[in-house]
Amino acid sequence: FANSAAAVLRPSARFDLVRCGISTYGFDPAPHAGHGRDLGLVPAMTARARLSLVKEIPAGAGVSYGHLWVAEEETKLGLVPVGYGDGIPRAASNGAVVQVGGHRRPLRGRVCMDQFMVEGDDDTAPGDLAVLFGAGADGEPTGQDWAEVCETISYEIVTRVGGRFTRVHVDPDVEPDVEPGSIDGDRA
């Protein structure tokens, strides 16, 4: 019986039954073993949503439950309308990053059931696309990045996402017509 790690890293363990799990999502089954990109795996899932609100907050204002984060200066925040009810781990609170406007933006405050906040800049506006995680080829965070922040494994990050996200499977050879607020297998 060989899982992803055994199938990729231990050919002698394959015998006649292989069950690939995390490698089908394009993630290294043993990221700390030092094989990295040598395996040729590319993350096959992208999770994204559009900012539903952008707001300036003054210095000293706390964000989200328990004011886990307090603005040191006037700050623009964007509201991402997904949360732990959609599979976004609370452990990502005040630690993970998303990509908005081509730049990595830190989560600010605690992940709530239906939303979380990200720090923006002068150009951040409602409707902007927030890429929570993807393949990483365009600078966006990956599920592995989120796993490290949450002190878990990438498999937990990609398999727990659901809720109001719409899953869309796309052909990588065809330009996808995917509505943000979705999860797509754009590399599958």
Side-chain angles (χ1 to χ4, degrees):
F1 296 99
N3 64 5
S4 289
V8 172
L9 304 173
R10 302 286 303 251
S12 63
R14 292 181 193 154
F15 296 106
D16 61 354
L17 184 59
V18 175
R19 187 212 45 88
C20 292
I22 191 59
S23 63
T24 62
Y25 283 86
F27 287 95
D28 184 344
H32 302 295
H35 296 90
R37 296 200 181 270
D38 295 342
L39 299 175
L41 298 172
V42 177
M45 183 174 153
T46 299
R48 54 193 175 188
R50 291 207 180 269
L51 299 181
S52 60
L53 174 73
V54 174
K55 185 176 182 178
E56 293 271 348
I57 63 167
V63 175
S64 193
Y65 297 123
H67 291 181
L68 183 65
W69 183 80
V70 176
E72 292 181 8
E73 59 189 15
E74 187 175 282
T75 305
K76 188 178 267 192
L77 296 176
L79 187 135
V80 182
V82 294
Y84 63 77
D86 303 295
I88 306 304
R90 287 187 77 230
S93 297
N94 222 27
V97 297
V98 302
Q99 186 182 53
V100 178
H103 301 283
R104 287 184 173 216
R105 304 286 179 203
L107 271 69
R108 294 300 190 205
R110 199 171 307 280
V111 172
C112 304
M113 182 170 63
D114 297 314
Q115 62 194 15
F116 64 84
M117 304 292 203
V118 295
E119 187 170 328
D121 64 14
D122 290 340
D123 296 327
T124 305
D128 285 355
L129 186 63
V131 179
L132 283 65
F133 56 83
D138 296 321
E140 74 276 21
T142 66
Q144 182 61 40
D145 294 331
W146 277 65
E148 289 171 11
V149 166
C150 297
E151 298 182 357
T152 188
I153 58 174
S154 57
Y155 213 1
E156 181 179 345
I157 301 301
V158 296
T159 60
R160 74 186 298 163
V161 175
R164 292 165 293 172
F165 277 102
T166 302
R167 288 187 184 268
V168 178
H169 301 271
V170 297
D171 182 335
D173 297 325
V174 177
E175 183 64 31
D177 182 22
V178 178
E179 177 61 29
S182 63
I183 305 166
D184 66 82
D186 62 356
R187 305 286 192 261

